[in-house]
Every structure is written in structure tokens, then in C-alpha cells.
Amino acid sequence: MTSAWHPESRGTLTVHTVNPAELNVRLAQDIAQRLAAAIQARGLAVLSVSGGKSPVALFEALRVIDIDWSRVRITLVDERCVPRSHPDSNALLVQTHLLQDLAAKGQLVFMVASTAAPLDTPATLAKAASLALTAAGVADVLVLGMGADGHTASLFPEAPNLTDALDLRNTQTCVAIELAHPPANAPYARITQTLAQILSARHIVLPLFGTDKLNTLQQAWKQATPALPISCVLQQTQTPVALWLAN
């Protein structure tokens, strides 16, 4: 990732610039240390993760690190409204790429509990997911991603109910997101943690690769705007955020 612009740490936002070949391993080590500290302090740890292809390499680096995975609960930042056994399910992605090797003993908390269609409405699924996440506890580490359009989790700029999802006074843990024009590679309604729920985490990490995403990040760095939902994470001062940039 090359550019004349390089973000610098500020307030609760820390920037780590790392060689691309080392980023996932170093971030995995950082996450594992935080989970181990949470286990020592509270007897268990909660790791909340995003789906998609971007975190796969991170999951595969994390699953071979030796911590007490039997005391780790894994929750999802967002999920597609498909059965949990569906090939496009984020839960299945986590089971395939994270809950293997040493991490096989981790406990996955499903956002969509059903194993087969038909499913309940997205709104009903979101209510059930809210209960499951609340029962799982506060995330010690929450891993976000960012699209080139500035979306994070399933908080898309064009979502009809984005204002509610970004409202920090919103007491809902999860909301349903139904896009008029969903991504062609995943044309499903979704469930996502609200911004308030995301910011309830003790520590947020955001790994980024690619020049297109750096350009989006530069815009989000300037001010909070619903046009770039990730900016609402970067501009807040409530929760520590660690930005991991490949350079």
C-alpha cells in the first residue's frame, strides 16, 4: 500500500503500519494476547468477528496460537439471512477457517440459529441475534472490516435504516439490513450489530489492505458522515480502535 498520505495515531485511535506479509500474524498475536488477558481477568473472553474473504488469513493465523480456546466465545459482527449451514453464511466461514486446530474448542454464538430454510423475517432474526449476543457478553476484541464504499459490518451507506443503526442512543444490539441493491456476490438481507453495540467492545481492530481502501480511509479520516459508516467508528472517542495498515 503506497500513498503520500499516512494516517497517524490520535486519541483512542492507534495506527500500526505493518509489512503485508506479516500483518495477519502480528495482528493474530495481538488479539490472542488480549483474549488471554481477558481469560485471566474474567475467566472467559469474547471475540467478535466479521465475515467475508478479508479475515480468512487472519483466522488461519489465529487458530494455531495456544490460548485456552475452551474459554473463548466467538460472536459475529454481522450475518447474512441464510441458514447457518449455507455456503454464504458467515458462521460457516468462521467454523471453516477459525474454529480449527487449537481454536476448535472455541464456542461459536450463532446469529442465525436455523440450519435450514425457511427462515423467520430479518427483523425477527435480528431480535433473536440480539438476545444471543447480549447473553454472550461484552466483546474483548471486535474485528471490523471496511469496504471500498466505506461500509463496515453490514452498515451500508445506502441502507434504508442506517440512521437508526448508527444512532448511539439506539438500545438494540442488532438490526436487520435490507438493501434495495445488495452486493451481487451476496444478495441477501443481513443482520448487523448496531454502532452502539460495536462500540461497546473493549477493543476494536480494523485491518486494511489495498490502495482503494486507503483512499476511502482518507475520506473517513476527516469527519463522521453516514455516507461512510466506518467514519463513525474512526471519529468516536468512546472505544479504543487499532488500525492495522499493510504498507
Side-chain angles (χ1 to χ4, degrees), residues 31 34-39 42-49 67 69 71-76 107 109 132-143 193 197 200-203:
I31 291 171
R34 294 177 187 278
L35 297 178
I39 292 168
R42 291 177 288 279
L44 61 86
V46 179
L47 170 64
S48 196
V49 297
I67 62 173
W69 284 100
R71 295 181 179 271
V72 179
R73 294 173 183 165
I74 296 97
T75 65
L76 299 171
Q107 175 192 349
V109 178
L133 260 67
T134 299
V138 175
D140 294 288
V141 181
L142 186 144
V143 183
Q193 293 187 27
Q197 177 65 17
S200 74
R202 293 186 171 94
H203 183 75

PDB file of all heavy atoms in Angstrom, residues 31 34-39 42-49 67 69 71-76 107 109 132-143 193 197 200-203:
ATOM      1  N   ILE A  31      -4.296 -10.068  19.101  1.00  0.00           N
ATOM      2  CA  ILE A  31      -5.630 -10.489  19.516  1.00  0.00           C
ATOM      3  C   ILE A  31      -5.548 -11.595  20.558  1.00  0.00           C
ATOM      4  O   ILE A  31      -6.249 -11.563  21.582  1.00  0.00           O
ATOM      5  CB  ILE A  31      -6.451 -10.954  18.293  1.00  0.00           C
ATOM      6  CG1 ILE A  31      -6.772  -9.756  17.386  1.00  0.00           C
ATOM      7  CG2 ILE A  31      -7.741 -11.654  18.731  1.00  0.00           C
ATOM      8  CD1 ILE A  31      -7.393 -10.151  16.049  1.00  0.00           C
ATOM      9  N   ARG A  34      -4.711 -10.354  23.987  1.00  0.00           N
ATOM     10  CA  ARG A  34      -5.844  -9.684  24.620  1.00  0.00           C
ATOM     11  C   ARG A  34      -6.875 -10.698  25.115  1.00  0.00           C
ATOM     12  O   ARG A  34      -7.473 -10.522  26.186  1.00  0.00           O
ATOM     13  CB  ARG A  34      -6.479  -8.690  23.645  1.00  0.00           C
ATOM     14  CG  ARG A  34      -5.555  -7.529  23.292  1.00  0.00           C
ATOM     15  CD  ARG A  34      -6.183  -6.579  22.269  1.00  0.00           C
ATOM     16  NE  ARG A  34      -5.222  -5.580  21.837  1.00  0.00           N
ATOM     17  CZ  ARG A  34      -4.931  -4.470  22.500  1.00  0.00           C
ATOM     18  NH1 ARG A  34      -5.562  -4.205  23.643  1.00  0.00           N
ATOM     19  NH2 ARG A  34      -4.038  -3.606  22.039  1.00  0.00           N
ATOM     20  N   LEU A  35      -7.100 -11.749  24.349  1.00  0.00           N
ATOM     21  CA  LEU A  35      -8.039 -12.783  24.778  1.00  0.00           C
ATOM     22  C   LEU A  35      -7.509 -13.511  26.009  1.00  0.00           C
ATOM     23  O   LEU A  35      -8.262 -13.789  26.951  1.00  0.00           O
ATOM     24  CB  LEU A  35      -8.296 -13.779  23.639  1.00  0.00           C
ATOM     25  CG  LEU A  35      -8.962 -13.221  22.383  1.00  0.00           C
ATOM     26  CD1 LEU A  35      -9.107 -14.315  21.333  1.00  0.00           C
ATOM     27  CD2 LEU A  35     -10.323 -12.600  22.693  1.00  0.00           C
ATOM     28  N   ALA A  36      -6.213 -13.818  25.999  1.00  0.00           N
ATOM     29  CA  ALA A  36      -5.610 -14.498  27.156  1.00  0.00           C
ATOM     30  C   ALA A  36      -5.704 -13.633  28.407  1.00  0.00           C
ATOM     31  O   ALA A  36      -5.974 -14.140  29.506  1.00  0.00           O
ATOM     32  CB  ALA A  36      -4.154 -14.853  26.845  1.00  0.00           C
ATOM     33  N   ALA A  37      -5.493 -12.331  28.257  1.00  0.00           N
ATOM     34  CA  ALA A  37      -5.600 -11.419  29.400  1.00  0.00           C
ATOM     35  C   ALA A  37      -7.030 -11.365  29.923  1.00  0.00           C
ATOM     36  O   ALA A  37      -7.266 -11.310  31.138  1.00  0.00           O
ATOM     37  CB  ALA A  37      -5.126 -10.025  28.997  1.00  0.00           C
ATOM     38  N   ALA A  38      -8.010 -11.396  29.009  1.00  0.00           N
ATOM     39  CA  ALA A  38      -9.415 -11.387  29.421  1.00  0.00           C
ATOM     40  C   ALA A  38      -9.763 -12.663  30.178  1.00  0.00           C
ATOM     41  O   ALA A  38     -10.487 -12.621  31.188  1.00  0.00           O
ATOM     42  CB  ALA A  38     -10.311 -11.241  28.197  1.00  0.00           C
ATOM     43  N   ILE A  39      -9.255 -13.795  29.700  1.00  0.00           N
ATOM     44  CA  ILE A  39      -9.495 -15.066  30.388  1.00  0.00           C
ATOM     45  C   ILE A  39      -8.912 -15.021  31.794  1.00  0.00           C
ATOM     46  O   ILE A  39      -9.546 -15.448  32.766  1.00  0.00           O
ATOM     47  CB  ILE A  39      -8.895 -16.231  29.582  1.00  0.00           C
ATOM     48  CG1 ILE A  39      -9.664 -16.426  28.263  1.00  0.00           C
ATOM     49  CG2 ILE A  39      -8.914 -17.525  30.400  1.00  0.00           C
ATOM     50  CD1 ILE A  39      -8.984 -17.352  27.283  1.00  0.00           C
ATOM     51  N   ARG A  42     -11.223 -12.418  33.797  1.00  0.00           N
ATOM     52  CA  ARG A  42     -12.654 -12.650  33.997  1.00  0.00           C
ATOM     53  C   ARG A  42     -13.091 -14.102  33.821  1.00  0.00           C
ATOM     54  O   ARG A  42     -14.266 -14.418  33.946  1.00  0.00           O
ATOM     55  CB  ARG A  42     -13.459 -11.751  33.038  1.00  0.00           C
ATOM     56  CG  ARG A  42     -13.374 -10.270  33.395  1.00  0.00           C
ATOM     57  CD  ARG A  42     -14.118  -9.403  32.406  1.00  0.00           C
ATOM     58  NE  ARG A  42     -13.429  -9.326  31.117  1.00  0.00           N
ATOM     59  CZ  ARG A  42     -12.404  -8.515  30.861  1.00  0.00           C
ATOM     60  NH1 ARG A  42     -11.940  -7.724  31.822  1.00  0.00           N
ATOM     61  NH2 ARG A  42     -11.833  -8.487  29.671  1.00  0.00           N
ATOM     62  N   GLY A  43     -12.158 -14.973  33.482  1.00  0.00           N
ATOM     63  CA  GLY A  43     -12.497 -16.382  33.338  1.00  0.00           C
ATOM     64  C   GLY A  43     -12.953 -16.790  31.966  1.00  0.00           C
ATOM     65  O   GLY A  43     -13.059 -17.990  31.668  1.00  0.00           O
ATOM     66  N   LEU A  44     -13.221 -15.823  31.112  1.00  0.00           N
ATOM     67  CA  LEU A  44     -13.589 -16.103  29.730  1.00  0.00           C
ATOM     68  C   LEU A  44     -13.291 -14.884  28.880  1.00  0.00           C
ATOM     69  O   LEU A  44     -13.050 -13.791  29.400  1.00  0.00           O
ATOM     70  CB  LEU A  44     -15.061 -16.497  29.606  1.00  0.00           C
ATOM     71  CG  LEU A  44     -16.135 -15.485  30.029  1.00  0.00           C
ATOM     72  CD1 LEU A  44     -16.489 -14.521  28.894  1.00  0.00           C
ATOM     73  CD2 LEU A  44     -17.393 -16.206  30.479  1.00  0.00           C
ATOM     74  N   ALA A  45     -13.309 -15.083  27.560  1.00  0.00           N
ATOM     75  CA  ALA A  45     -13.075 -13.989  26.620  1.00  0.00           C
ATOM     76  C   ALA A  45     -14.106 -14.060  25.510  1.00  0.00           C
ATOM     77  O   ALA A  45     -14.591 -15.144  25.166  1.00  0.00           O
ATOM     78  CB  ALA A  45     -11.667 -14.068  26.027  1.00  0.00           C
ATOM     79  N   VAL A  46     -14.444 -12.907  24.960  1.00  0.00           N
ATOM     80  CA  VAL A  46     -15.390 -12.830  23.840  1.00  0.00           C
ATOM     81  C   VAL A  46     -14.684 -12.162  22.660  1.00  0.00           C
ATOM     82  O   VAL A  46     -14.163 -11.052  22.793  1.00  0.00           O
ATOM     83  CB  VAL A  46     -16.659 -12.055  24.212  1.00  0.00           C
ATOM     84  CG1 VAL A  46     -17.607 -11.982  23.009  1.00  0.00           C
ATOM     85  CG2 VAL A  46     -17.363 -12.706  25.396  1.00  0.00           C
ATOM     86  N   LEU A  47     -14.668 -12.854  21.537  1.00  0.00           N
ATOM     87  CA  LEU A  47     -14.088 -12.346  20.298  1.00  0.00           C
ATOM     88  C   LEU A  47     -15.216 -12.193  19.291  1.00  0.00           C
ATOM     89  O   LEU A  47     -15.914 -13.164  18.984  1.00  0.00           O
ATOM     90  CB  LEU A  47     -13.037 -13.324  19.765  1.00  0.00           C
ATOM     91  CG  LEU A  47     -12.490 -13.061  18.348  1.00  0.00           C
ATOM     92  CD1 LEU A  47     -11.740 -11.747  18.284  1.00  0.00           C
ATOM     93  CD2 LEU A  47     -11.596 -14.221  17.905  1.00  0.00           C
ATOM     94  N   SER A  48     -15.424 -10.990  18.778  1.00  0.00           N
ATOM     95  CA  SER A  48     -16.461 -10.741  17.787  1.00  0.00           C
ATOM     96  C   SER A  48     -15.791 -10.504  16.435  1.00  0.00           C
ATOM     97  O   SER A  48     -14.885  -9.663  16.327  1.00  0.00           O
ATOM     98  CB  SER A  48     -17.306  -9.527  18.189  1.00  0.00           C
ATOM     99  OG  SER A  48     -18.511  -9.482  17.469  1.00  0.00           O
ATOM    100  N   VAL A  49     -16.220 -11.238  15.408  1.00  0.00           N
ATOM    101  CA  VAL A  49     -15.512 -11.196  14.128  1.00  0.00           C
ATOM    102  C   VAL A  49     -16.452 -10.887  12.973  1.00  0.00           C
ATOM    103  O   VAL A  49     -17.646 -11.180  13.009  1.00  0.00           O
ATOM    104  CB  VAL A  49     -14.784 -12.529  13.844  1.00  0.00           C
ATOM    105  CG1 VAL A  49     -13.719 -12.786  14.899  1.00  0.00           C
ATOM    106  CG2 VAL A  49     -15.770 -13.701  13.773  1.00  0.00           C
ATOM    107  N   ILE A  67      -3.881 -20.556  23.229  1.00  0.00           N
ATOM    108  CA  ILE A  67      -4.541 -19.972  24.400  1.00  0.00           C
ATOM    109  C   ILE A  67      -5.637 -20.951  24.808  1.00  0.00           C
ATOM    110  O   ILE A  67      -5.875 -21.950  24.118  1.00  0.00           O
ATOM    111  CB  ILE A  67      -5.126 -18.570  24.121  1.00  0.00           C
ATOM    112  CG1 ILE A  67      -6.212 -18.639  23.031  1.00  0.00           C
ATOM    113  CG2 ILE A  67      -4.025 -17.588  23.726  1.00  0.00           C
ATOM    114  CD1 ILE A  67      -6.955 -17.335  22.818  1.00  0.00           C
ATOM    115  N   TRP A  69      -8.718 -21.870  24.369  1.00  0.00           N
ATOM    116  CA  TRP A  69      -9.846 -21.606  23.475  1.00  0.00           C
ATOM    117  C   TRP A  69     -11.166 -22.108  24.044  1.00  0.00           C
ATOM    118  O   TRP A  69     -12.233 -21.632  23.639  1.00  0.00           O
ATOM    119  CB  TRP A  69      -9.575 -22.232  22.110  1.00  0.00           C
ATOM    120  CG  TRP A  69      -8.584 -21.454  21.302  1.00  0.00           C
ATOM    121  CD1 TRP A  69      -7.252 -21.733  21.132  1.00  0.00           C
ATOM    122  CD2 TRP A  69      -8.826 -20.250  20.565  1.00  0.00           C
ATOM    123  NE1 TRP A  69      -6.662 -20.782  20.332  1.00  0.00           N
ATOM    124  CE2 TRP A  69      -7.600 -19.869  19.973  1.00  0.00           C
ATOM    125  CE3 TRP A  69      -9.960 -19.468  20.348  1.00  0.00           C
ATOM    126  CZ2 TRP A  69      -7.489 -18.731  19.175  1.00  0.00           C
ATOM    127  CZ3 TRP A  69      -9.847 -18.333  19.556  1.00  0.00           C
ATOM    128  CH2 TRP A  69      -8.621 -17.973  18.978  1.00  0.00           C
ATOM    129  N   ARG A  71     -12.356 -21.379  26.658  1.00  0.00           N
ATOM    130  CA  ARG A  71     -12.930 -20.257  27.406  1.00  0.00           C
ATOM    131  C   ARG A  71     -13.169 -19.032  26.520  1.00  0.00           C
ATOM    132  O   ARG A  71     -13.334 -17.923  27.024  1.00  0.00           O
ATOM    133  CB  ARG A  71     -12.008 -19.883  28.577  1.00  0.00           C
ATOM    134  CG  ARG A  71     -11.900 -20.981  29.630  1.00  0.00           C
ATOM    135  CD  ARG A  71     -10.990 -20.558  30.774  1.00  0.00           C
ATOM    136  NE  ARG A  71     -10.891 -21.587  31.793  1.00  0.00           N
ATOM    137  CZ  ARG A  71     -11.711 -21.700  32.842  1.00  0.00           C
ATOM    138  NH1 ARG A  71     -12.694 -20.836  32.993  1.00  0.00           N
ATOM    139  NH2 ARG A  71     -11.557 -22.658  33.720  1.00  0.00           N
ATOM    140  N   VAL A  72     -13.171 -19.248  25.213  1.00  0.00           N
ATOM    141  CA  VAL A  72     -13.392 -18.148  24.265  1.00  0.00           C
ATOM    142  C   VAL A  72     -14.735 -18.329  23.567  1.00  0.00           C
ATOM    143  O   VAL A  72     -15.016 -19.382  22.994  1.00  0.00           O
ATOM    144  CB  VAL A  72     -12.273 -18.069  23.212  1.00  0.00           C
ATOM    145  CG1 VAL A  72     -12.544 -16.924  22.229  1.00  0.00           C
ATOM    146  CG2 VAL A  72     -10.917 -17.881  23.879  1.00  0.00           C
ATOM    147  N   ARG A  73     -15.568 -17.300  23.642  1.00  0.00           N
ATOM    148  CA  ARG A  73     -16.812 -17.259  22.881  1.00  0.00           C
ATOM    149  C   ARG A  73     -16.579 -16.408  21.638  1.00  0.00           C
ATOM    150  O   ARG A  73     -16.010 -15.323  21.735  1.00  0.00           O
ATOM    151  CB  ARG A  73     -17.944 -16.654  23.705  1.00  0.00           C
ATOM    152  CG  ARG A  73     -18.343 -17.488  24.913  1.00  0.00           C
ATOM    153  CD  ARG A  73     -19.352 -16.742  25.770  1.00  0.00           C
ATOM    154  NE  ARG A  73     -19.687 -17.494  26.981  1.00  0.00           N
ATOM    155  CZ  ARG A  73     -20.294 -16.991  28.040  1.00  0.00           C
ATOM    156  NH1 ARG A  73     -20.629 -15.699  28.053  1.00  0.00           N
ATOM    157  NH2 ARG A  73     -20.563 -17.741  29.079  1.00  0.00           N
ATOM    158  N   ILE A  74     -17.022 -16.900  20.494  1.00  0.00           N
ATOM    159  CA  ILE A  74     -16.878 -16.158  19.246  1.00  0.00           C
ATOM    160  C   ILE A  74     -18.258 -15.719  18.788  1.00  0.00           C
ATOM    161  O   ILE A  74     -19.162 -16.544  18.613  1.00  0.00           O
ATOM    162  CB  ILE A  74     -16.196 -16.995  18.149  1.00  0.00           C
ATOM    163  CG1 ILE A  74     -14.751 -17.346  18.552  1.00  0.00           C
ATOM    164  CG2 ILE A  74     -16.166 -16.230  16.834  1.00  0.00           C
ATOM    165  CD1 ILE A  74     -14.589 -18.692  19.151  1.00  0.00           C
ATOM    166  N   THR A  75     -18.434 -14.425  18.632  1.00  0.00           N
ATOM    167  CA  THR A  75     -19.689 -13.879  18.113  1.00  0.00           C
ATOM    168  C   THR A  75     -19.433 -13.261  16.751  1.00  0.00           C
ATOM    169  O   THR A  75     -18.285 -13.056  16.335  1.00  0.00           O
ATOM    170  CB  THR A  75     -20.293 -12.830  19.070  1.00  0.00           C
ATOM    171  OG1 THR A  75     -19.405 -11.693  19.136  1.00  0.00           O
ATOM    172  CG2 THR A  75     -20.493 -13.396  20.466  1.00  0.00           C
ATOM    173  N   LEU A  76     -20.516 -12.958  16.051  1.00  0.00           N
ATOM    174  CA  LEU A  76     -20.423 -12.376  14.714  1.00  0.00           C
ATOM    175  C   LEU A  76     -20.807 -10.902  14.747  1.00  0.00           C
ATOM    176  O   LEU A  76     -21.752 -10.510  15.425  1.00  0.00           O
ATOM    177  CB  LEU A  76     -21.348 -13.125  13.745  1.00  0.00           C
ATOM    178  CG  LEU A  76     -21.048 -14.614  13.554  1.00  0.00           C
ATOM    179  CD1 LEU A  76     -22.152 -15.270  12.753  1.00  0.00           C
ATOM    180  CD2 LEU A  76     -19.708 -14.817  12.870  1.00  0.00           C
ATOM    181  N   GLN A 107     -16.261 -21.545  21.366  1.00  0.00           N
ATOM    182  CA  GLN A 107     -17.722 -21.652  21.319  1.00  0.00           C
ATOM    183  C   GLN A 107     -18.284 -20.575  20.405  1.00  0.00           C
ATOM    184  O   GLN A 107     -18.187 -19.384  20.702  1.00  0.00           O
ATOM    185  CB  GLN A 107     -18.316 -21.495  22.726  1.00  0.00           C
ATOM    186  CG  GLN A 107     -19.843 -21.473  22.747  1.00  0.00           C
ATOM    187  CD  GLN A 107     -20.404 -21.032  24.087  1.00  0.00           C
ATOM    188  OE1 GLN A 107     -19.701 -20.934  25.074  1.00  0.00           O
ATOM    189  NE2 GLN A 107     -21.699 -20.734  24.101  1.00  0.00           N
ATOM    190  N   VAL A 109     -21.202 -18.442  18.810  1.00  0.00           N
ATOM    191  CA  VAL A 109     -22.555 -17.973  19.094  1.00  0.00           C
ATOM    192  C   VAL A 109     -23.183 -17.571  17.754  1.00  0.00           C
ATOM    193  O   VAL A 109     -22.716 -16.641  17.099  1.00  0.00           O
ATOM    194  CB  VAL A 109     -22.532 -16.777  20.059  1.00  0.00           C
ATOM    195  CG1 VAL A 109     -23.951 -16.262  20.310  1.00  0.00           C
ATOM    196  CG2 VAL A 109     -21.859 -17.175  21.372  1.00  0.00           C
ATOM    197  N   ALA A 132     -28.946 -13.420  21.759  1.00  0.00           N
ATOM    198  CA  ALA A 132     -27.775 -14.301  21.795  1.00  0.00           C
ATOM    199  C   ALA A 132     -26.496 -13.515  22.086  1.00  0.00           C
ATOM    200  O   ALA A 132     -25.645 -13.941  22.881  1.00  0.00           O
ATOM    201  CB  ALA A 132     -27.647 -15.051  20.470  1.00  0.00           C
ATOM    202  N   LEU A 133     -26.351 -12.349  21.452  1.00  0.00           N
ATOM    203  CA  LEU A 133     -25.147 -11.547  21.670  1.00  0.00           C
ATOM    204  C   LEU A 133     -25.100 -10.957  23.066  1.00  0.00           C
ATOM    205  O   LEU A 133     -24.037 -10.903  23.691  1.00  0.00           O
ATOM    206  CB  LEU A 133     -25.055 -10.436  20.626  1.00  0.00           C
ATOM    207  CG  LEU A 133     -24.111 -10.728  19.449  1.00  0.00           C
ATOM    208  CD1 LEU A 133     -24.657 -11.873  18.604  1.00  0.00           C
ATOM    209  CD2 LEU A 133     -23.913  -9.493  18.588  1.00  0.00           C
ATOM    210  N   THR A 134     -26.246 -10.531  23.567  1.00  0.00           N
ATOM    211  CA  THR A 134     -26.294  -9.989  24.915  1.00  0.00           C
ATOM    212  C   THR A 134     -25.900 -11.059  25.929  1.00  0.00           C
ATOM    213  O   THR A 134     -25.145 -10.798  26.868  1.00  0.00           O
ATOM    214  CB  THR A 134     -27.697  -9.451  25.228  1.00  0.00           C
ATOM    215  OG1 THR A 134     -28.009  -8.403  24.302  1.00  0.00           O
ATOM    216  CG2 THR A 134     -27.771  -8.905  26.636  1.00  0.00           C
ATOM    217  N   ALA A 135     -26.389 -12.287  25.719  1.00  0.00           N
ATOM    218  CA  ALA A 135     -26.057 -13.384  26.625  1.00  0.00           C
ATOM    219  C   ALA A 135     -24.572 -13.746  26.552  1.00  0.00           C
ATOM    220  O   ALA A 135     -23.976 -14.167  27.557  1.00  0.00           O
ATOM    221  CB  ALA A 135     -26.915 -14.606  26.297  1.00  0.00           C
ATOM    222  N   ALA A 136     -23.967 -13.571  25.387  1.00  0.00           N
ATOM    223  CA  ALA A 136     -22.546 -13.922  25.220  1.00  0.00           C
ATOM    224  C   ALA A 136     -21.630 -12.994  26.004  1.00  0.00           C
ATOM    225  O   ALA A 136     -20.552 -13.399  26.440  1.00  0.00           O
ATOM    226  CB  ALA A 136     -22.175 -13.897  23.739  1.00  0.00           C
ATOM    227  N   GLY A 137     -22.037 -11.734  26.180  1.00  0.00           N
ATOM    228  CA  GLY A 137     -21.230 -10.792  26.939  1.00  0.00           C
ATOM    229  C   GLY A 137     -20.499  -9.797  26.062  1.00  0.00           C
ATOM    230  O   GLY A 137     -20.513  -9.876  24.830  1.00  0.00           O
ATOM    231  N   VAL A 138     -19.855  -8.853  26.723  1.00  0.00           N
ATOM    232  CA  VAL A 138     -19.129  -7.775  26.038  1.00  0.00           C
ATOM    233  C   VAL A 138     -17.924  -8.335  25.287  1.00  0.00           C
ATOM    234  O   VAL A 138     -17.171  -9.154  25.823  1.00  0.00           O
ATOM    235  CB  VAL A 138     -18.670  -6.714  27.059  1.00  0.00           C
ATOM    236  CG1 VAL A 138     -17.807  -5.652  26.389  1.00  0.00           C
ATOM    237  CG2 VAL A 138     -19.882  -6.082  27.731  1.00  0.00           C
ATOM    238  N   ALA A 139     -17.733  -7.885  24.042  1.00  0.00           N
ATOM    239  CA  ALA A 139     -16.582  -8.338  23.259  1.00  0.00           C
ATOM    240  C   ALA A 139     -15.295  -7.742  23.815  1.00  0.00           C
ATOM    241  O   ALA A 139     -15.195  -6.533  24.015  1.00  0.00           O
ATOM    242  CB  ALA A 139     -16.753  -7.940  21.796  1.00  0.00           C
ATOM    243  N   ASP A 140     -14.321  -8.592  24.075  1.00  0.00           N
ATOM    244  CA  ASP A 140     -12.997  -8.110  24.476  1.00  0.00           C
ATOM    245  C   ASP A 140     -12.233  -7.583  23.275  1.00  0.00           C
ATOM    246  O   ASP A 140     -11.498  -6.593  23.375  1.00  0.00           O
ATOM    247  CB  ASP A 140     -12.219  -9.247  25.150  1.00  0.00           C
ATOM    248  CG  ASP A 140     -12.869  -9.652  26.462  1.00  0.00           C
ATOM    249  OD1 ASP A 140     -12.781  -8.874  27.421  1.00  0.00           O
ATOM    250  OD2 ASP A 140     -13.482 -10.731  26.508  1.00  0.00           O
ATOM    251  N   VAL A 141     -12.397  -8.252  22.142  1.00  0.00           N
ATOM    252  CA  VAL A 141     -11.821  -7.786  20.875  1.00  0.00           C
ATOM    253  C   VAL A 141     -12.895  -7.928  19.811  1.00  0.00           C
ATOM    254  O   VAL A 141     -13.560  -8.962  19.712  1.00  0.00           O
ATOM    255  CB  VAL A 141     -10.582  -8.598  20.464  1.00  0.00           C
ATOM    256  CG1 VAL A 141     -10.007  -8.063  19.150  1.00  0.00           C
ATOM    257  CG2 VAL A 141      -9.522  -8.585  21.546  1.00  0.00           C
ATOM    258  N   LEU A 142     -13.076  -6.886  19.009  1.00  0.00           N
ATOM    259  CA  LEU A 142     -14.029  -6.913  17.906  1.00  0.00           C
ATOM    260  C   LEU A 142     -13.279  -6.576  16.632  1.00  0.00           C
ATOM    261  O   LEU A 142     -12.616  -5.537  16.555  1.00  0.00           O
ATOM    262  CB  LEU A 142     -15.168  -5.931  18.158  1.00  0.00           C
ATOM    263  CG  LEU A 142     -16.315  -5.938  17.152  1.00  0.00           C
ATOM    264  CD1 LEU A 142     -17.660  -5.675  17.858  1.00  0.00           C
ATOM    265  CD2 LEU A 142     -16.103  -4.888  16.058  1.00  0.00           C
ATOM    266  N   VAL A 143     -13.353  -7.458  15.655  1.00  0.00           N
ATOM    267  CA  VAL A 143     -12.627  -7.295  14.395  1.00  0.00           C
ATOM    268  C   VAL A 143     -13.578  -6.761  13.333  1.00  0.00           C
ATOM    269  O   VAL A 143     -14.548  -7.418  12.958  1.00  0.00           O
ATOM    270  CB  VAL A 143     -12.021  -8.630  13.920  1.00  0.00           C
ATOM    271  CG1 VAL A 143     -11.211  -8.408  12.634  1.00  0.00           C
ATOM    272  CG2 VAL A 143     -11.139  -9.248  14.999  1.00  0.00           C
ATOM    273  N   GLN A 193     -24.650  -5.927  13.974  1.00  0.00           N
ATOM    274  CA  GLN A 193     -24.563  -5.188  15.221  1.00  0.00           C
ATOM    275  C   GLN A 193     -24.739  -3.701  14.903  1.00  0.00           C
ATOM    276  O   GLN A 193     -24.274  -3.206  13.889  1.00  0.00           O
ATOM    277  CB  GLN A 193     -23.210  -5.413  15.895  1.00  0.00           C
ATOM    278  CG  GLN A 193     -22.982  -6.818  16.403  1.00  0.00           C
ATOM    279  CD  GLN A 193     -21.699  -6.953  17.210  1.00  0.00           C
ATOM    280  OE1 GLN A 193     -21.225  -5.987  17.812  1.00  0.00           O
ATOM    281  NE2 GLN A 193     -21.124  -8.149  17.226  1.00  0.00           N
ATOM    282  N   GLN A 197     -23.607  -1.075  19.674  1.00  0.00           N
ATOM    283  CA  GLN A 197     -23.142  -2.385  20.119  1.00  0.00           C
ATOM    284  C   GLN A 197     -21.674  -2.592  19.753  1.00  0.00           C
ATOM    285  O   GLN A 197     -20.885  -3.105  20.556  1.00  0.00           O
ATOM    286  CB  GLN A 197     -24.010  -3.485  19.510  1.00  0.00           C
ATOM    287  CG  GLN A 197     -23.563  -4.906  19.842  1.00  0.00           C
ATOM    288  CD  GLN A 197     -23.664  -5.241  21.316  1.00  0.00           C
ATOM    289  OE1 GLN A 197     -24.349  -4.554  22.072  1.00  0.00           O
ATOM    290  NE2 GLN A 197     -22.979  -6.302  21.729  1.00  0.00           N
ATOM    291  N   SER A 200     -19.484  -0.938  22.135  1.00  0.00           N
ATOM    292  CA  SER A 200     -19.485  -1.484  23.496  1.00  0.00           C
ATOM    293  C   SER A 200     -18.303  -2.422  23.722  1.00  0.00           C
ATOM    294  O   SER A 200     -18.023  -2.817  24.861  1.00  0.00           O
ATOM    295  CB  SER A 200     -20.796  -2.221  23.776  1.00  0.00           C
ATOM    296  OG  SER A 200     -20.841  -3.479  23.108  1.00  0.00           O
ATOM    297  N   ALA A 201     -17.611  -2.803  22.647  1.00  0.00           N
ATOM    298  CA  ALA A 201     -16.442  -3.678  22.765  1.00  0.00           C
ATOM    299  C   ALA A 201     -15.340  -2.989  23.559  1.00  0.00           C
ATOM    300  O   ALA A 201     -15.246  -1.762  23.598  1.00  0.00           O
ATOM    301  CB  ALA A 201     -15.926  -4.055  21.379  1.00  0.00           C
ATOM    302  N   ARG A 202     -14.502  -3.794  24.170  1.00  0.00           N
ATOM    303  CA  ARG A 202     -13.376  -3.225  24.921  1.00  0.00           C
ATOM    304  C   ARG A 202     -12.253  -2.770  23.997  1.00  0.00           C
ATOM    305  O   ARG A 202     -11.495  -1.856  24.331  1.00  0.00           O
ATOM    306  CB  ARG A 202     -12.854  -4.263  25.927  1.00  0.00           C
ATOM    307  CG  ARG A 202     -13.851  -4.588  27.037  1.00  0.00           C
ATOM    308  CD  ARG A 202     -13.250  -5.508  28.098  1.00  0.00           C
ATOM    309  NE  ARG A 202     -14.145  -5.632  29.240  1.00  0.00           N
ATOM    310  CZ  ARG A 202     -15.048  -6.597  29.396  1.00  0.00           C
ATOM    311  NH1 ARG A 202     -15.157  -7.559  28.469  1.00  0.00           N
ATOM    312  NH2 ARG A 202     -15.833  -6.636  30.451  1.00  0.00           N
ATOM    313  N   HIS A 203     -12.140  -3.389  22.821  1.00  0.00           N
ATOM    314  CA  HIS A 203     -11.062  -3.037  21.884  1.00  0.00           C
ATOM    315  C   HIS A 203     -11.513  -3.427  20.484  1.00  0.00           C
ATOM    316  O   HIS A 203     -12.029  -4.532  20.268  1.00  0.00           O
ATOM    317  CB  HIS A 203      -9.779  -3.789  22.257  1.00  0.00           C
ATOM    318  CG  HIS A 203      -8.601  -3.449  21.398  1.00  0.00           C
ATOM    319  ND1 HIS A 203      -7.900  -2.261  21.507  1.00  0.00           N
ATOM    320  CD2 HIS A 203      -8.000  -4.149  20.392  1.00  0.00           C
ATOM    321  CE1 HIS A 203      -6.906  -2.259  20.630  1.00  0.00           C
ATOM    322  NE2 HIS A 203      -6.947  -3.381  19.943  1.00  0.00           N
TER     323      HIS A 203
END
